Amino acid sequence: VIAPALRGMRAGEQQSIDRRMCELDGTGGKSHLGANAILAVSLANAQAAAKAAGMPLYRFLGGTGMNRLPVPMMNILGGGVHAAGGPDTQEFMILPVGAASFSEAVRAGSEIYHQLGRLLLAKGFSTAVGDEGGYAPAIEEDAQAIELILEAIRKAGYAPGLDVKLAIDGAVSGWYRDGAYHRPKRGDTLDREALADHWKRLVSAYPIASLEDPMGEEDWTGWQQLTAALGSTVRLVGDDLFVTCKARLEQGIAAGAANAILIKPNQVGTLSETIETVRAAERAGYTPILSHRSGETEDSTIADLAVALGVGLIKAGAPCRGERTAKYTRLLRIEGALGGQAVYAGAEALAG
Ligand code: PGA
Ligand code: ZN
């Protein structure tokens, strides 16, 4: 369906190609052709254009000056809808910000991940993993999960807060019903204020640098209040809130909701729109974070995109499972190709 509409167009004209596909789809939400189909063609076109130009994709899209490697946000423990056995909170991530290079960051992340596995086994928990490779032990309390992660960080020889910061994806839209938050596994209910207090307590007790979807995607009041309370010190990341959509982001900017945005190319559906949303976020002082999906392939385009666009953070799962490690491997290769030019984003990536 798509190919005949693109025949005769030039691969170098990415925006025209993306626009043609959007017209062909004809719906605001890409519901006719589907964002995954459109995105596959959009990214394949970019890859082909880069190949024809004899350049790696990050160089083709970003130019010669782009040499910054992002901080990996590694989901090492979680549950929610990604793992039946784990906690209600979807993801607990480690960010090895203190590493000297991207490769050292991957090493630290991997060492901590395996320390956590040993620790969970020793304490009688399961080490089965969820969709993104994080362990999914039967732990209910967020604080207990964090304490275990801190222990794993220390056992691996790193200092929590200094070498390694933490991030959480609450993904709480799935908990929101009739104006309150119902945690399905715990079976309890929190109102907006109680949920905000819960996050505030965790942020004051632990080295948490980033909270994703801490409020529901339609709870703008909750987002505004939490942003006013924590926005100067913590990245408050809209994933379900913004769905990589520039119009939703602009609504958030106007409302003072969140200060960071997850960038998932298949949420918006074309490379051009992905780049537009990243630039719109940067103009407003919102931190963009390139991201995989829980359902993934071994395609590693987001690794090239992070470097090409100069995005300082990438969320690509645990250092486990091929579709996750593919992104880290690609970044290791880019770092190797950049050689002495490569710069690791480090803690600066989290600065507001
Ligand atoms: P999803 O999960 O790909 O299932 O949306 C990832 C996330 O919530 O960040
Ligand atoms: Zn999320």
Side-chain angles (χ1 to χ4, degrees), residues 82 90-91 132 169 212 239 262 264 293-295 315:
H82 288 175
Q90 187 175 277
E91 301 167 30
E132 299 181 354
D169 182 1
E212 178 180 333
D239 170 17
L262 213 64
K264 291 169 162 170
R293 300 304 309 261
S294 57
K315 192 179 143 175

Side-chain angles (χ1 to χ4, degrees), residues 72-284:
M73 303 177 74
M74 294 177 159
N75 168 2
I76 63 168
L77 192 156
V81 295
H82 288 175
D88 284 310
T89 297
Q90 187 175 277
E91 301 167 30
F92 294 87
M93 291 166 269
I94 49 170
L95 285 59
V97 290
S101 63
F102 179 77
S103 39
E104 286 297 313
V106 169
R107 179 158 82 115
S110 184
E111 287 168 353
I112 295 162
Y113 176 72
H114 289 286
Q115 276 295 344
L116 180 62
R118 281 193 279 278
L119 213 57
L120 289 170
L121 270 186
K123 292 182 191 284
F125 289 110
S126 158
T127 51
V129 301
D131 290 344
E132 299 181 354
Y135 300 113
I139 290 172
E140 286 198 337
E141 284 287 347
D142 288 350
Q144 192 191 351
I146 292 172
E147 293 285 353
L148 277 167
I149 291 171
L150 295 181
E151 197 178 335
I153 292 171
R154 288 191 203 98
K155 275 211 156 80
Y158 299 97
L162 195 67
D163 298 323
V164 184
K165 292 194 187 292
L166 306 180
I168 289 177
D169 182 1
V172 307
S173 293
W175 305 351
Y176 197 59
R177 198 175 62 247
D178 305 326
Y181 293 90
H182 309 271
R183 289 190 284 195
K185 294 172 188 174
R186 299 189 61 144
D188 63 356
T189 297
L190 304 174
D191 61 17
R192 173 190 295 145
E193 286 69 32
L195 182 59
D197 285 345
H198 172 66
W199 298 131
K200 286 177 200 167
R201 269 195 303 276
L202 290 180
V203 164
S204 67
Y206 301 110
I208 295 169
S210 170
L211 277 179
E212 178 180 333
D213 287 342
M215 290 286 158
E217 66 198 30
E218 299 304 339
D219 187 2
W220 289 96
T221 305
W223 269 101
Q224 284 170 314
Q225 290 173 353
L226 201 65
T227 305
L230 296 178
S232 60
T233 49
V234 178
R235 294 304 90 204
L236 296 170
V237 187
D239 170 17
D240 292 345
L241 180 69
F242 296 138
V243 286
T244 317
C245 171
K246 198 169 147 222
R248 290 275 302 185
L249 172 65
E250 280 162 356
Q251 202 180 338
I253 293 166
N259 59 21
I261 175 173
L262 213 64
I263 301 291
K264 291 169 162 170
N266 87 329
Q267 277 180 335
V268 65
T270 62
L271 178 59
S272 305
E273 290 162 289
T274 302
I275 295 172
E276 267 175 45
T277 304
V278 168
R279 297 307 182 216
E282 287 169 343
R283 279 195 299 275

